[in-house]
Amino acid sequence: MTSLAFTCPTVRRIGILTGGGDCPGLNAVIRAVVRDALHCGITCVGIEDGYLGLIEGRCRILQQQDVSGILHVGGTILGSNNKSNPARHKVGVDAAGKAIYRDVLDECIGTLEKHGVEALVTIGGDGTHTAAAMFARKGVPVIGVPKTIDNDIEGTEITFGFQSAVATATLALDQVRTTADSHHRAMVVEVMGRNAGWIALHAGVAGAADVILMPEVPFSLEHVYAKVRDRSEAGKRSSLICVSEGAKLQGGQQVVARRVETSPDPIRLGGIGKFLAEKIEDDTGVESRYTILGHTQRGGTPVAADRVLGTLLGAHAMTLLRQGRVGRMVAIQKGQLTDVDLATPAGKQRLVQAEDPLILAARNIGTAFGDGVVM
Ligand code: F6P
């Protein structure tokens, strides 16, 4: 194990990286961390492309001008990577062409020492925090900042990026509604979220979807058809269905779009929207179309709430660092700013509970979840 001389709260130089898939609000966190750090004389070293940049030694000093004018900009000025894992880094292939992996955590710590980095701020999801906790166990003072549009990180009740994704998905539901009404159609909008239905639930409610389908509530086609038919028979011009990419039939499997073998989570979901629209049209006779929102939900300008949340969490990360309270992930719980053990999200996903108040509210106002439950 590399010997470390990291000490807090006297750190003079910190590193910052963004790992995993990007999301709106990352730049708000980077800006908050860098501005707060510079304000108290701490130098910030930006590590490019997540842990990959740390493994490859790609680091640069971030000055005030680097974070100027980025609050409203999507993506991350540092770049990100959702395939690099310092505990399992591909270093070559053997004679049979099989990949050889090695733990390069100590080399990464060597890179931090070479750049004089005394503490690390890691902005990412469960994969990024799992690796961050490994660095913490080796003595590196780390503060994690949770991000993802999926809102599924254990330990915090909200992640920045989520509200921007919901705004994008809601706008899409509003926009397809006009064609649905004009043409007496059922419109299916497929949203992201991995195994969590947060985006589908919130956008579905905000966009007045008639049916919301999410991974936590397996559905049956018959119940979806019943809602579409009931609406047609009641003289409604259209039906709007908001389906999470991870939604699945009762007793069925999620629809996998592809596998990314080099990624810590190789499964990429997608395709349930197409399946659903085709089945609705074939089996009910109601003309149907589908729209897959994909990465439109991860891109573009963050909504104000995500800029605020990113700023709050970034500044809190610096507060913890100054207090020497490291090995923590900043979080929101019961609406309050707090922090939890850095390893909290490792290997977990925060899913929507069946008794979530928003599910109950939606059921009470007649929204169907495809499970036949009627309130
Ligand atoms: O975790 C964020 C997310 O956008 C998920 O909602 C989605 O399933 C996945 O990432 C897509 O990953 P990629 O950008 O690798 O296709």
Side-chain angles (χ1 to χ4, degrees):
M1 190 182 1
T2 311
S3 73
L4 295 163
F6 295 127
T7 49
C8 283
T10 55
V11 321
R12 302 320 303 156
R13 189 180 275 241
I14 62 168
I16 178 168
L17 63 81
T18 51
D22 70 344
C23 78
L26 284 167
N27 285 330
V29 183
I30 297 169
R31 173 178 176 269
V33 168
V34 172
R35 285 176 66 120
D36 190 312
L38 291 177
H39 186 66
C40 47
I42 297 173
T43 302
C44 272
V45 176
I47 298 158
E48 293 175 359
D49 298 333
Y51 290 120
L52 187 63
L54 188 55
I55 293 165
E56 296 175 350
R58 289 187 280 114
C59 306
R60 62 185 156 101
I61 303 282
L62 295 176
Q63 312 278 12
Q64 181 81 32
Q65 62 267 27
D66 292 310
V67 295
S68 176
I70 66 168
L71 184 57
H72 64 290
V73 180
T76 158
I77 59 159
L78 292 174
S80 193
N81 185 289
N82 60 4
K83 298 188 194 69
S84 55
N85 175 1
R88 193 171 179 271
H89 178 60
K90 186 176 170 188
V91 289
V93 285
D94 64 16
K98 206 166 151 252
I100 305 168
Y101 295 95
R102 202 163 57 75
D103 177 333
V104 294
L105 284 160
D106 286 342
E107 282 92 326
C108 289
I109 292 173
T111 301
L112 293 177
E113 289 177 328
K114 184 176 145 208
H115 289 271
V117 170
E118 299 163 295
L120 205 50
V121 175
T122 55
I123 311 166
D126 51 347
T128 303
H129 289 108
T130 302
M134 292 180 202
F135 282 111
R137 280 196 289 277
K138 281 182 172 276
V140 180
V142 187
I143 304 286
V145 183
K147 70 86 225 183
T148 171
I149 62 164
D150 303 337
N151 202 32
D152 64 348
I153 298 187
E154 186 68 27
T156 186
E157 67 198 17
I158 187 145
T159 53
F160 65 86
F162 169 63
Q163 294 177 88
S164 300
V166 168
T168 299
T170 303
L171 179 64
L173 285 161
D174 291 347
Q175 293 197 319
V176 300
R177 178 183 295 283
T178 54
T179 304
D181 283 341
S182 304
H183 293 265
H184 292 278
R185 283 180 180 167
M187 288 295 209
V188 178
V189 174
E190 180 183 308
V191 300
M192 281 185 164
R194 270 203 310 179
N195 301 314
W198 294 107
I199 299 176
L201 177 61
H202 283 248
V205 168
D210 306 299
V211 183
I212 298 172
L213 303 174
M214 41 198 274
E216 296 89 341
V217 186
F219 66 96
S220 87
L221 287 170
E222 284 311 322
H223 287 127
V224 176
Y225 298 162
K227 183 72 174 176
V228 172
R229 282 196 193 104
D230 286 354
R231 288 182 57 79
S232 290
E233 284 161 16
K236 303 280 187 189
R237 295 187 64 90
S238 63
S239 289
L240 222 52
I241 296 140
C242 182
V243 59
S244 170
E245 62 180 359
K248 54 180 185 262
L249 286 167
Q250 289 167 355
Q253 302 289 324
Q254 290 175 320
V255 181
V256 175
R258 66 178 66 82
R259 290 182 62 92
V260 182
E261 295 303 344
T262 45
S263 170
D265 177 6
I267 303 292
R268 293 294 181 274
L269 299 167
I272 185 76
K274 177 175 188 289
F275 165 80
L276 205 55
E278 288 172 356
K279 292 297 283 181
I280 292 170
E281 182 162 308
D282 287 350
D283 295 346
T284 68
V286 175
E287 193 179 26
S288 305
R289 295 287 188 272
Y290 66 92
T291 304
I292 300 175
L293 300 187
H295 293 81
T296 59
Q297 297 155 98
R298 285 229 312 246
T301 304
V303 295
D306 279 335
R307 302 181 202 186
V308 170
L309 185 57
T311 302
L312 188 68
L313 295 178
H316 189 50
M318 288 306 296
T319 301
L320 292 181
L321 208 54
R322 276 195 297 272
Q323 293 171 345
R325 296 190 55 221
V326 293
R328 311 293 295 167
M329 180 185 82
V330 296
I332 302 288
Q333 284 181 0
K334 297 198 170 99
Q336 300 298 312
L337 185 59
T338 184
D339 50 272
V340 297
D341 190 283
L342 188 57
T344 305
K348 302 193 197 91
Q349 287 172 332
R350 195 180 69 90
L351 304 180
V352 183
Q353 299 300 303
E355 63 279 9
D356 187 284
L358 195 53
I359 294 187
L360 300 181
R363 287 194 194 277
N364 281 339
I365 62 169
T367 309
F369 285 80
D371 57 352
V373 175
V374 180
M375 305 289 269

mmCIF file of all heavy atoms in Angstrom, residues 297-344:
data_model
loop_
_atom_site.group_PDB
_atom_site.id
_atom_site.type_symbol
_atom_site.label_atom_id
_atom_site.label_comp_id
_atom_site.label_asym_id
_atom_site.label_seq_id
_atom_site.Cartn_x
_atom_site.Cartn_y
_atom_site.Cartn_z
ATOM 1 N N GLN A 297 -32.487 13.423 -22.323
ATOM 2 C CA GLN A 297 -32.748 13.640 -20.890
ATOM 3 C C GLN A 297 -31.471 13.924 -20.109
ATOM 4 O O GLN A 297 -31.509 14.433 -18.995
ATOM 5 C CB GLN A 297 -33.408 12.390 -20.286
ATOM 6 C CG GLN A 297 -34.757 12.091 -20.892
ATOM 7 C CD GLN A 297 -35.117 10.618 -20.761
ATOM 8 O OE1 GLN A 297 -35.838 10.229 -19.861
ATOM 9 N NE2 GLN A 297 -34.602 9.782 -21.659
ATOM 10 N N ARG A 298 -30.327 13.539 -20.661
ATOM 11 C CA ARG A 298 -29.055 13.756 -19.952
ATOM 12 C C ARG A 298 -28.381 15.051 -20.380
ATOM 13 O O ARG A 298 -27.417 15.488 -19.744
ATOM 14 C CB ARG A 298 -28.119 12.591 -20.229
ATOM 15 C CG ARG A 298 -28.442 11.319 -19.520
ATOM 16 C CD ARG A 298 -27.274 10.691 -18.827
ATOM 17 N NE ARG A 298 -26.069 10.573 -19.591
ATOM 18 C CZ ARG A 298 -25.524 9.406 -19.976
ATOM 19 N NH1 ARG A 298 -26.137 8.273 -19.699
ATOM 20 N NH2 ARG A 298 -24.381 9.386 -20.610
ATOM 21 N N GLY A 299 -28.886 15.619 -21.502
ATOM 22 C CA GLY A 299 -28.164 16.752 -22.072
ATOM 23 C C GLY A 299 -28.853 18.076 -21.838
ATOM 24 O O GLY A 299 -29.890 18.157 -21.191
ATOM 25 N N GLY A 300 -28.245 19.091 -22.397
ATOM 26 C CA GLY A 300 -28.849 20.423 -22.370
ATOM 27 C C GLY A 300 -28.668 21.152 -21.063
ATOM 28 O O GLY A 300 -27.985 20.696 -20.147
ATOM 29 N N THR A 301 -29.302 22.298 -21.028
ATOM 30 C CA THR A 301 -29.167 23.215 -19.898
ATOM 31 C C THR A 301 -29.833 22.659 -18.632
ATOM 32 O O THR A 301 -30.989 22.256 -18.689
ATOM 33 C CB THR A 301 -29.859 24.543 -20.278
ATOM 34 O OG1 THR A 301 -29.264 24.993 -21.480
ATOM 35 C CG2 THR A 301 -29.703 25.597 -19.211
ATOM 36 N N PRO A 302 -29.134 22.659 -17.510
ATOM 37 C CA PRO A 302 -29.795 22.211 -16.280
ATOM 38 C C PRO A 302 -30.886 23.180 -15.848
ATOM 39 O O PRO A 302 -30.737 24.398 -16.009
ATOM 40 C CB PRO A 302 -28.660 22.189 -15.238
ATOM 41 C CG PRO A 302 -27.540 22.970 -15.823
ATOM 42 C CD PRO A 302 -27.718 23.020 -17.303
ATOM 43 N N VAL A 303 -31.975 22.641 -15.312
ATOM 44 C CA VAL A 303 -33.015 23.526 -14.776
ATOM 45 C C VAL A 303 -32.445 24.229 -13.536
ATOM 46 O O VAL A 303 -31.445 23.790 -12.954
ATOM 47 C CB VAL A 303 -34.304 22.745 -14.399
ATOM 48 C CG1 VAL A 303 -34.946 22.144 -15.625
ATOM 49 C CG2 VAL A 303 -34.036 21.682 -13.331
ATOM 50 N N ALA A 304 -33.117 25.309 -13.137
ATOM 51 C CA ALA A 304 -32.621 26.111 -11.998
ATOM 52 C C ALA A 304 -32.417 25.248 -10.756
ATOM 53 O O ALA A 304 -31.413 25.388 -10.040
ATOM 54 C CB ALA A 304 -33.610 27.240 -11.714
ATOM 55 N N ALA A 305 -33.368 24.313 -10.505
ATOM 56 C CA ALA A 305 -33.275 23.492 -9.287
ATOM 57 C C ALA A 305 -31.991 22.662 -9.267
ATOM 58 O O ALA A 305 -31.393 22.452 -8.203
ATOM 59 C CB ALA A 305 -34.503 22.586 -9.184
ATOM 60 N N ASP A 306 -31.554 22.182 -10.428
ATOM 61 C CA ASP A 306 -30.317 21.390 -10.462
ATOM 62 C C ASP A 306 -29.079 22.273 -10.308
ATOM 63 O O ASP A 306 -28.056 21.840 -9.753
ATOM 64 C CB ASP A 306 -30.243 20.580 -11.763
ATOM 65 C CG ASP A 306 -31.078 19.310 -11.667
ATOM 66 O OD1 ASP A 306 -31.295 18.824 -10.537
ATOM 67 O OD2 ASP A 306 -31.517 18.805 -12.718
ATOM 68 N N ARG A 307 -29.147 23.504 -10.804
ATOM 69 C CA ARG A 307 -28.015 24.428 -10.591
ATOM 70 C C ARG A 307 -27.889 24.743 -9.104
ATOM 71 O O ARG A 307 -26.793 24.822 -8.549
ATOM 72 C CB ARG A 307 -28.243 25.730 -11.363
ATOM 73 C CG ARG A 307 -28.417 25.517 -12.843
ATOM 74 C CD ARG A 307 -28.605 26.847 -13.536
ATOM 75 N NE ARG A 307 -29.268 26.672 -14.817
ATOM 76 C CZ ARG A 307 -29.459 27.639 -15.679
ATOM 77 N NH1 ARG A 307 -29.058 28.856 -15.414
ATOM 78 N NH2 ARG A 307 -30.071 27.393 -16.823
ATOM 79 N N VAL A 308 -29.044 24.920 -8.462
ATOM 80 C CA VAL A 308 -29.045 25.236 -7.025
ATOM 81 C C VAL A 308 -28.520 24.038 -6.234
ATOM 82 O O VAL A 308 -27.635 24.174 -5.375
ATOM 83 C CB VAL A 308 -30.475 25.619 -6.569
ATOM 84 C CG1 VAL A 308 -30.555 25.716 -5.044
ATOM 85 C CG2 VAL A 308 -30.905 26.932 -7.214
ATOM 86 N N LEU A 309 -29.058 22.849 -6.536
ATOM 87 C CA LEU A 309 -28.654 21.636 -5.806
ATOM 88 C C LEU A 309 -27.167 21.345 -6.018
ATOM 89 O O LEU A 309 -26.440 21.014 -5.062
ATOM 90 C CB LEU A 309 -29.511 20.449 -6.265
ATOM 91 C CG LEU A 309 -29.321 19.128 -5.529
ATOM 92 C CD1 LEU A 309 -29.576 19.286 -4.028
ATOM 93 C CD2 LEU A 309 -30.244 18.055 -6.106
ATOM 94 N N GLY A 310 -26.709 21.473 -7.259
ATOM 95 C CA GLY A 310 -25.290 21.237 -7.553
ATOM 96 C C GLY A 310 -24.400 22.200 -6.778
ATOM 97 O O GLY A 310 -23.362 21.816 -6.219
ATOM 98 N N THR A 311 -24.811 23.452 -6.716
ATOM 99 C CA THR A 311 -24.032 24.464 -5.985
ATOM 100 C C THR A 311 -24.017 24.144 -4.487
ATOM 101 O O THR A 311 -22.965 24.184 -3.835
ATOM 102 C CB THR A 311 -24.640 25.870 -6.228
ATOM 103 O OG1 THR A 311 -24.631 26.125 -7.638
ATOM 104 C CG2 THR A 311 -23.861 26.952 -5.498
ATOM 105 N N LEU A 312 -25.180 23.782 -3.961
ATOM 106 C CA LEU A 312 -25.300 23.463 -2.539
ATOM 107 C C LEU A 312 -24.409 22.277 -2.172
ATOM 108 O O LEU A 312 -23.646 22.318 -1.195
ATOM 109 C CB LEU A 312 -26.774 23.128 -2.250
ATOM 110 C CG LEU A 312 -27.199 22.942 -0.813
ATOM 111 C CD1 LEU A 312 -27.120 24.260 -0.061
ATOM 112 C CD2 LEU A 312 -28.639 22.408 -0.758
ATOM 113 N N LEU A 313 -24.480 21.217 -2.979
ATOM 114 C CA LEU A 313 -23.722 20.002 -2.670
ATOM 115 C C LEU A 313 -22.220 20.222 -2.866
ATOM 116 O O LEU A 313 -21.403 19.721 -2.082
ATOM 117 C CB LEU A 313 -24.215 18.839 -3.534
ATOM 118 C CG LEU A 313 -25.662 18.379 -3.280
ATOM 119 C CD1 LEU A 313 -26.046 17.257 -4.231
ATOM 120 C CD2 LEU A 313 -25.867 17.935 -1.835
ATOM 121 N N GLY A 314 -21.858 20.968 -3.913
ATOM 122 C CA GLY A 314 -20.434 21.248 -4.164
ATOM 123 C C GLY A 314 -19.837 22.051 -3.020
ATOM 124 O O GLY A 314 -18.742 21.750 -2.514
ATOM 125 N N ALA A 315 -20.555 23.067 -2.584
ATOM 126 C CA ALA A 315 -20.052 23.906 -1.482
ATOM 127 C C ALA A 315 -19.994 23.097 -0.185
ATOM 128 O O ALA A 315 -19.053 23.248 0.611
ATOM 129 C CB ALA A 315 -20.943 25.134 -1.312
ATOM 130 N N HIS A 316 -20.963 22.204 0.013
ATOM 131 C CA HIS A 316 -20.953 21.384 1.240
ATOM 132 C C HIS A 316 -19.767 20.416 1.230
ATOM 133 O O HIS A 316 -19.176 20.135 2.287
ATOM 134 C CB HIS A 316 -22.276 20.626 1.384
ATOM 135 C CG HIS A 316 -22.423 19.937 2.706
ATOM 136 N ND1 HIS A 316 -22.202 20.568 3.915
ATOM 137 C CD2 HIS A 316 -22.741 18.649 3.030
ATOM 138 C CE1 HIS A 316 -22.380 19.707 4.903
ATOM 139 N NE2 HIS A 316 -22.703 18.542 4.397
ATOM 140 N N ALA A 317 -19.428 19.923 0.047
ATOM 141 C CA ALA A 317 -18.246 19.044 -0.049
ATOM 142 C C ALA A 317 -17.005 19.791 0.459
ATOM 143 O O ALA A 317 -16.187 19.226 1.204
ATOM 144 C CB ALA A 317 -18.050 18.587 -1.497
ATOM 145 N N MET A 318 -16.891 21.046 0.085
ATOM 146 C CA MET A 318 -15.729 21.840 0.532
ATOM 147 C C MET A 318 -15.790 22.103 2.034
ATOM 148 O O MET A 318 -14.754 22.110 2.707
ATOM 149 C CB MET A 318 -15.660 23.158 -0.250
ATOM 150 C CG MET A 318 -15.223 22.986 -1.690
ATOM 151 S SD MET A 318 -13.665 22.085 -1.843
ATOM 152 C CE MET A 318 -12.533 23.206 -1.023
ATOM 153 N N THR A 319 -16.985 22.320 2.554
ATOM 154 C CA THR A 319 -17.121 22.543 4.010
ATOM 155 C C THR A 319 -16.633 21.312 4.767
ATOM 156 O O THR A 319 -15.865 21.411 5.727
ATOM 157 C CB THR A 319 -18.600 22.846 4.369
ATOM 158 O OG1 THR A 319 -18.994 23.999 3.643
ATOM 159 C CG2 THR A 319 -18.791 23.079 5.862
ATOM 160 N N LEU A 320 -17.078 20.127 4.311
ATOM 161 C CA LEU A 320 -16.656 18.886 4.973
ATOM 162 C C LEU A 320 -15.140 18.723 4.916
ATOM 163 O O LEU A 320 -14.500 18.329 5.891
ATOM 164 C CB LEU A 320 -17.330 17.678 4.313
ATOM 165 C CG LEU A 320 -18.839 17.528 4.493
ATOM 166 C CD1 LEU A 320 -19.334 16.277 3.788
ATOM 167 C CD2 LEU A 320 -19.214 17.463 5.972
ATOM 168 N N LEU A 321 -14.594 19.050 3.762
ATOM 169 C CA LEU A 321 -13.140 18.923 3.569
ATOM 170 C C LEU A 321 -12.393 19.832 4.538
ATOM 171 O O LEU A 321 -11.426 19.409 5.186
ATOM 172 C CB LEU A 321 -12.821 19.316 2.115
ATOM 173 C CG LEU A 321 -11.611 18.698 1.462
ATOM 174 C CD1 LEU A 321 -11.656 17.188 1.554
ATOM 175 C CD2 LEU A 321 -11.568 19.138 0.003
ATOM 176 N N ARG A 322 -12.868 21.057 4.678
ATOM 177 C CA ARG A 322 -12.212 22.006 5.590
ATOM 178 C C ARG A 322 -12.318 21.532 7.045
ATOM 179 O O ARG A 322 -11.428 21.767 7.841
ATOM 180 C CB ARG A 322 -12.828 23.399 5.458
ATOM 181 C CG ARG A 322 -12.243 24.205 4.309
ATOM 182 C CD ARG A 322 -12.616 25.662 4.444
ATOM 183 N NE ARG A 322 -14.059 25.841 4.362
ATOM 184 C CZ ARG A 322 -14.726 26.008 3.218
ATOM 185 N NH1 ARG A 322 -14.065 26.026 2.091
ATOM 186 N NH2 ARG A 322 -16.028 26.142 3.217
ATOM 187 N N GLN A 323 -13.434 20.844 7.337
ATOM 188 C CA GLN A 323 -13.627 20.344 8.710
ATOM 189 C C GLN A 323 -12.879 19.029 8.946
ATOM 190 O O GLN A 323 -12.898 18.494 10.047
ATOM 191 C CB GLN A 323 -15.121 20.114 8.985
ATOM 192 C CG GLN A 323 -15.936 21.396 9.013
ATOM 193 C CD GLN A 323 -17.436 21.105 9.068
ATOM 194 O OE1 GLN A 323 -17.890 19.991 8.818
ATOM 195 N NE2 GLN A 323 -18.207 22.127 9.391
ATOM 196 N N GLY A 324 -12.284 18.498 7.881
ATOM 197 C CA GLY A 324 -11.586 17.218 8.010
ATOM 198 C C GLY A 324 -12.530 16.038 8.113
ATOM 199 O O GLY A 324 -12.142 14.942 8.497
ATOM 200 N N ARG A 325 -13.805 16.256 7.750
ATOM 201 C CA ARG A 325 -14.792 15.162 7.812
ATOM 202 C C ARG A 325 -14.806 14.460 6.457
ATOM 203 O O ARG A 325 -15.665 14.711 5.617
ATOM 204 C CB ARG A 325 -16.169 15.716 8.173
ATOM 205 C CG ARG A 325 -16.172 16.322 9.577
ATOM 206 C CD ARG A 325 -17.568 16.638 10.041
ATOM 207 N NE ARG A 325 -18.414 15.467 9.962
ATOM 208 C CZ ARG A 325 -19.679 15.494 9.534
ATOM 209 N NH1 ARG A 325 -20.214 16.627 9.136
ATOM 210 N NH2 ARG A 325 -20.387 14.392 9.503
ATOM 211 N N VAL A 326 -13.840 13.572 6.239
ATOM 212 C CA VAL A 326 -13.677 12.945 4.929
ATOM 213 C C VAL A 326 -14.200 11.508 4.941
ATOM 214 O O VAL A 326 -14.615 10.997 5.974
ATOM 215 C CB VAL A 326 -12.198 13.007 4.471
ATOM 216 C CG1 VAL A 326 -11.793 14.450 4.212
ATOM 217 C CG2 VAL A 326 -11.290 12.365 5.512
ATOM 218 N N GLY A 327 -14.183 10.893 3.739
ATOM 219 C CA GLY A 327 -14.787 9.562 3.624
ATOM 220 C C GLY A 327 -16.297 9.668 3.671
ATOM 221 O O GLY A 327 -16.990 8.731 4.061
ATOM 222 N N ARG A 328 -16.831 10.814 3.280
ATOM 223 C CA ARG A 328 -18.265 11.091 3.329
ATOM 224 C C ARG A 328 -18.806 11.386 1.936
ATOM 225 O O ARG A 328 -18.062 11.816 1.042
ATOM 226 C CB ARG A 328 -18.560 12.320 4.221
ATOM 227 C CG ARG A 328 -17.906 12.303 5.568
ATOM 228 C CD ARG A 328 -18.427 11.220 6.478
ATOM 229 N NE ARG A 328 -19.828 11.408 6.833
ATOM 230 C CZ ARG A 328 -20.571 10.454 7.417
ATOM 231 N NH1 ARG A 328 -20.051 9.263 7.679
ATOM 232 N NH2 ARG A 328 -21.830 10.682 7.723
ATOM 233 N N MET A 329 -20.086 11.166 1.759
ATOM 234 C CA MET A 329 -20.785 11.608 0.534
ATOM 235 C C MET A 329 -21.822 12.643 0.967
ATOM 236 O O MET A 329 -22.606 12.372 1.885
ATOM 237 C CB MET A 329 -21.482 10.434 -0.152
ATOM 238 C CG MET A 329 -22.214 10.846 -1.431
ATOM 239 S SD MET A 329 -23.164 9.490 -2.167
ATOM 240 C CE MET A 329 -24.675 9.523 -1.189
ATOM 241 N N VAL A 330 -21.814 13.799 0.328
ATOM 242 C CA VAL A 330 -22.820 14.809 0.651
ATOM 243 C C VAL A 330 -24.182 14.291 0.184
ATOM 244 O O VAL A 330 -24.267 13.516 -0.770
ATOM 245 C CB VAL A 330 -22.490 16.190 0.022
ATOM 246 C CG1 VAL A 330 -21.207 16.745 0.608
ATOM 247 C CG2 VAL A 330 -22.381 16.100 -1.491
ATOM 248 N N ALA A 331 -25.233 14.699 0.871
ATOM 249 C CA ALA A 331 -26.553 14.112 0.594
ATOM 250 C C ALA A 331 -27.661 15.051 1.036
ATOM 251 O O ALA A 331 -27.416 16.022 1.777
ATOM 252 C CB ALA A 331 -26.686 12.781 1.352
ATOM 253 N N ILE A 332 -28.860 14.743 0.565
ATOM 254 C CA ILE A 332 -30.062 15.419 1.044
ATOM 255 C C ILE A 332 -30.938 14.339 1.672
ATOM 256 O O ILE A 332 -31.237 13.323 1.035
ATOM 257 C CB ILE A 332 -30.840 16.103 -0.106
ATOM 258 C CG1 ILE A 332 -29.969 17.131 -0.852
ATOM 259 C CG2 ILE A 332 -32.128 16.748 0.423
ATOM 260 C CD1 ILE A 332 -29.671 18.407 -0.097
ATOM 261 N N GLN A 333 -31.329 14.552 2.916
ATOM 262 C CA GLN A 333 -32.243 13.616 3.585
ATOM 263 C C GLN A 333 -33.301 14.415 4.323
ATOM 264 O O GLN A 333 -32.965 15.365 5.033
ATOM 265 C CB GLN A 333 -31.481 12.721 4.558
ATOM 266 C CG GLN A 333 -30.694 11.631 3.853
ATOM 267 C CD GLN A 333 -29.962 10.720 4.813
ATOM 268 O OE1 GLN A 333 -30.022 10.885 6.023
ATOM 269 N NE2 GLN A 333 -29.249 9.752 4.262
ATOM 270 N N LYS A 334 -34.554 14.012 4.144
ATOM 271 C CA LYS A 334 -35.688 14.738 4.723
ATOM 272 C C LYS A 334 -35.592 16.229 4.397
ATOM 273 O O LYS A 334 -35.832 17.092 5.242
ATOM 274 C CB LYS A 334 -35.756 14.509 6.232
ATOM 275 C CG LYS A 334 -36.004 13.051 6.590
ATOM 276 C CD LYS A 334 -36.498 12.926 8.024
ATOM 277 C CE LYS A 334 -36.974 11.528 8.306
ATOM 278 N NZ LYS A 334 -36.129 10.638 8.958
ATOM 279 N N GLY A 335 -35.137 16.506 3.194
ATOM 280 C CA GLY A 335 -35.057 17.893 2.734
ATOM 281 C C GLY A 335 -33.876 18.672 3.279
ATOM 282 O O GLY A 335 -33.688 19.843 2.944
ATOM 283 N N GLN A 336 -33.046 18.038 4.109
ATOM 284 C CA GLN A 336 -31.927 18.749 4.745
ATOM 285 C C GLN A 336 -30.594 18.320 4.142
ATOM 286 O O GLN A 336 -30.406 17.157 3.794
ATOM 287 C CB GLN A 336 -31.889 18.447 6.249
ATOM 288 C CG GLN A 336 -33.143 18.845 7.010
ATOM 289 C CD GLN A 336 -33.410 20.333 6.967
ATOM 290 O OE1 GLN A 336 -32.515 21.146 7.203
ATOM 291 N NE2 GLN A 336 -34.633 20.710 6.623
ATOM 292 N N LEU A 337 -29.686 19.283 4.100
ATOM 293 C CA LEU A 337 -28.323 19.006 3.648
ATOM 294 C C LEU A 337 -27.604 18.186 4.715
ATOM 295 O O LEU A 337 -27.606 18.547 5.890
ATOM 296 C CB LEU A 337 -27.612 20.357 3.435
ATOM 297 C CG LEU A 337 -26.212 20.359 2.854
ATOM 298 C CD1 LEU A 337 -26.185 19.694 1.481
ATOM 299 C CD2 LEU A 337 -25.710 21.797 2.748
ATOM 300 N N THR A 338 -26.983 17.073 4.306
ATOM 301 C CA THR A 338 -26.301 16.221 5.283
ATOM 302 C C THR A 338 -25.181 15.455 4.580
ATOM 303 O O THR A 338 -24.813 15.772 3.441
ATOM 304 C CB THR A 338 -27.331 15.279 5.976
ATOM 305 O OG1 THR A 338 -26.674 14.538 6.984
ATOM 306 C CG2 THR A 338 -27.982 14.316 5.001
ATOM 307 N N ASP A 339 -24.643 14.444 5.225
ATOM 308 C CA ASP A 339 -23.634 13.606 4.582
ATOM 309 C C ASP A 339 -23.711 12.208 5.168
ATOM 310 O O ASP A 339 -24.158 12.013 6.294
ATOM 311 C CB ASP A 339 -22.233 14.204 4.740
ATOM 312 C CG ASP A 339 -21.911 14.568 6.174
ATOM 313 O OD1 ASP A 339 -22.218 15.692 6.589
ATOM 314 O OD2 ASP A 339 -21.367 13.691 6.889
ATOM 315 N N VAL A 340 -23.298 11.244 4.348
ATOM 316 C CA VAL A 340 -23.368 9.831 4.758
ATOM 317 C C VAL A 340 -22.023 9.180 4.448
ATOM 318 O O VAL A 340 -21.182 9.774 3.755
ATOM 319 C CB VAL A 340 -24.496 9.078 3.995
ATOM 320 C CG1 VAL A 340 -25.853 9.663 4.315
ATOM 321 C CG2 VAL A 340 -24.254 9.081 2.481
ATOM 322 N N ASP A 341 -21.824 7.968 4.954
ATOM 323 C CA ASP A 341 -20.584 7.257 4.657
ATOM 324 C C ASP A 341 -20.422 7.127 3.139
ATOM 325 O O ASP A 341 -21.387 6.839 2.429
ATOM 326 C CB ASP A 341 -20.622 5.875 5.313
ATOM 327 C CG ASP A 341 -19.271 5.193 5.252
ATOM 328 O OD1 ASP A 341 -18.912 4.682 4.164
ATOM 329 O OD2 ASP A 341 -18.580 5.198 6.279
ATOM 330 N N LEU A 342 -19.204 7.332 2.681
ATOM 331 C CA LEU A 342 -18.927 7.305 1.242
ATOM 332 C C LEU A 342 -19.309 5.974 0.588
ATOM 333 O O LEU A 342 -19.674 5.928 -0.593
ATOM 334 C CB LEU A 342 -17.418 7.559 1.045
ATOM 335 C CG LEU A 342 -16.865 7.766 -0.347
ATOM 336 C CD1 LEU A 342 -17.547 8.931 -1.047
ATOM 337 C CD2 LEU A 342 -15.353 8.021 -0.264
ATOM 338 N N ALA A 343 -19.248 4.898 1.363
ATOM 339 C CA ALA A 343 -19.535 3.574 0.793
ATOM 340 C C ALA A 343 -21.039 3.285 0.726
ATOM 341 O O ALA A 343 -21.447 2.246 0.207
ATOM 342 C CB ALA A 343 -18.837 2.493 1.615
ATOM 343 N N THR A 344 -21.863 4.202 1.227
ATOM 344 C CA THR A 344 -23.316 3.950 1.294
ATOM 345 C C THR A 344 -23.914 3.499 -0.046
ATOM 346 O O THR A 344 -24.699 2.546 -0.090
ATOM 347 C CB THR A 344 -24.063 5.203 1.821
ATOM 348 O OG1 THR A 344 -23.490 5.577 3.068
ATOM 349 C CG2 THR A 344 -25.551 4.942 2.004
#
